[in-house]
Each structure stands twice: as C-alpha cells, then as structure tokens.
Amino acid sequence: MLSLSITSPVTFLRGTGSATSTSSSFHGVRVSARVPTIASSSGKPMVVVMMSKREAELKEIRGKTTEELNEEVIDLKGELFMLRLQKSARNEFKSSEFRRMKKQVARILTVRREREIEEGIGKRLSRKLDRQWKKSIVVRPPPSLKKLQEEEAAEEAAEAAKSA
C-alpha cells in the first residue's frame, strides 16, 4: 500500500479555537510504502513480490510451444468472430471480452515473433511464413461453440431418454 500525507506547521490561537498556519513555509510531502510480508518458519519476515497478471500471462505463454500458440491464436480469433456475431444479432455479451481477446492474441503473436527473431528469421521471411500459415489453417468451430453444441446434444439425449 502507498500512503501520502502532506505536513505543514499548524498552531492553535488561544480563545479563537481556529487553526492557522504560522508561516508560508512548506515542509514537504511524506510518502510511505508498505510492502507485503510473510512470517517465515525462522521468524524473520520475508518480502513478497507479487507478479502482475500480465506478467503471469506472458510467462504462461512463453512456456508453450509454437504449435500450441498457433492453435490458441486460431481459437481466440474464432471466439472474436463469435462475439461479433452475438453483437450483430444483438444478443447479450460482454463487451470487455473484445479487448481482452485482442490483447491476448497480440501477446501470443509477439512471443511468436520474438522466437522468430531468436532463430534469425527476418521481417520479410516472417511475413511470407505467416501468409503460408494462414492458408494452411483448417476452419473449425471455436471452443465456445463446441461447448454449446455439446450441451445441446446432451439436452437432446436427456429428452430422448425421458420420452423412451
């Protein structure tokens, strides 16, 4: 936590009950930061460094293979397409999902490009490989649509079992 306090000299005058400043001098701003600590088994406090959500996501992304990243990009783009369909049909949807998914796709593509740079692949060759990759994509329904279809199939199976 970060706290901020402004200090200035204040005196109380007798009889008036009001506070007035003795001079126009300003003594400054006092800033204090509190770092989260945990008591260890030895009794000494340990400083906890908390990782931001974005850094945690990047760490998770960097742990995946390039093929897994490509699959995730395809899935996220399919989800974006489903959100656009929901928006155009005026169905209920979370508008914040657009931004979240776009940023996730951008992070994945950034990590993929970093790996290409490490391999020594130039910008021109990278674009050529990207075009080839996009042509090789097999169209498939996004995970949310698959889940929806599975739920509908399960409901139909349950209804068929009740009627039989």
Side-chain angles (χ1 to χ4, degrees), residues 66-89:
T66 306
E67 291 78 24
E68 290 173 341
L69 294 179
N70 290 339
E71 294 298 317
E72 195 167 343
V73 166
I74 293 169
D75 290 342
L76 285 171
K77 288 201 174 196
E79 293 293 334
L80 278 169
F81 178 71
M82 291 300 295
L83 278 176
R84 284 194 299 273
L85 285 177
Q86 287 178 354
K87 182 178 179 183
S88 67

Side-chain angles (χ1 to χ4, degrees), residues 15-84:
T16 61
S18 65
T20 59
S21 177
T22 57
S23 66
S24 64
S25 65
F26 183 69
H27 290 282
V29 177
R30 181 176 45 200
V31 178
S32 62
R34 188 176 57 160
V35 179
T37 58
I38 296 177
S40 65
S41 58
S42 64
K44 295 181 182 177
M46 295 177 10
V47 175
V48 177
V49 178
M50 297 191 300
M51 192 181 305
S52 70
K53 186 187 276 188
R54 182 173 40 92
E55 289 174 359
E57 285 179 1
L58 276 174
K59 190 174 182 180
E60 180 184 325
I61 290 170
R62 287 194 171 104
K64 295 182 179 181
T65 64
T66 306
E67 291 78 24
E68 290 173 341
L69 294 179
N70 290 339
E71 294 298 317
E72 195 167 343
V73 166
I74 293 169
D75 290 342
L76 285 171
K77 288 201 174 196
E79 293 293 334
L80 278 169
F81 178 71
M82 291 300 295
L83 278 176
R84 284 194 299 273

Side-chain angles (χ1 to χ4, degrees), residues 7 17 19 96 132 137 146:
T7 59
S96 62
Q132 290 173 354
I137 293 175
K146 285 182 186 177

Side-chain angles (χ1 to χ4, degrees), residues 62-125:
R62 287 194 171 104
K64 295 182 179 181
T65 64
T66 306
E67 291 78 24
E68 290 173 341
L69 294 179
N70 290 339
E71 294 298 317
E72 195 167 343
V73 166
I74 293 169
D75 290 342
L76 285 171
K77 288 201 174 196
E79 293 293 334
L80 278 169
F81 178 71
M82 291 300 295
L83 278 176
R84 284 194 299 273
L85 285 177
Q86 287 178 354
K87 182 178 179 183
S88 67
R90 297 189 180 191
N91 292 342
E92 288 187 22
F93 67 97
K94 290 185 179 179
S95 60
S96 62
E97 291 294 310
F98 280 109
R99 185 174 183 189
R100 187 189 64 79
M101 285 185 196
K102 284 181 182 180
K103 286 189 173 197
Q104 186 70 15
V105 168
R107 286 186 190 112
I108 293 170
L109 294 177
T110 300
V111 169
R112 202 173 84 179
R113 179 63 185 138
E114 286 173 355
R115 290 180 183 174
E116 288 176 351
I117 290 171
E118 288 174 3
E119 294 173 8
I121 297 175
K123 191 174 187 179
R124 189 174 188 155
L125 181 58

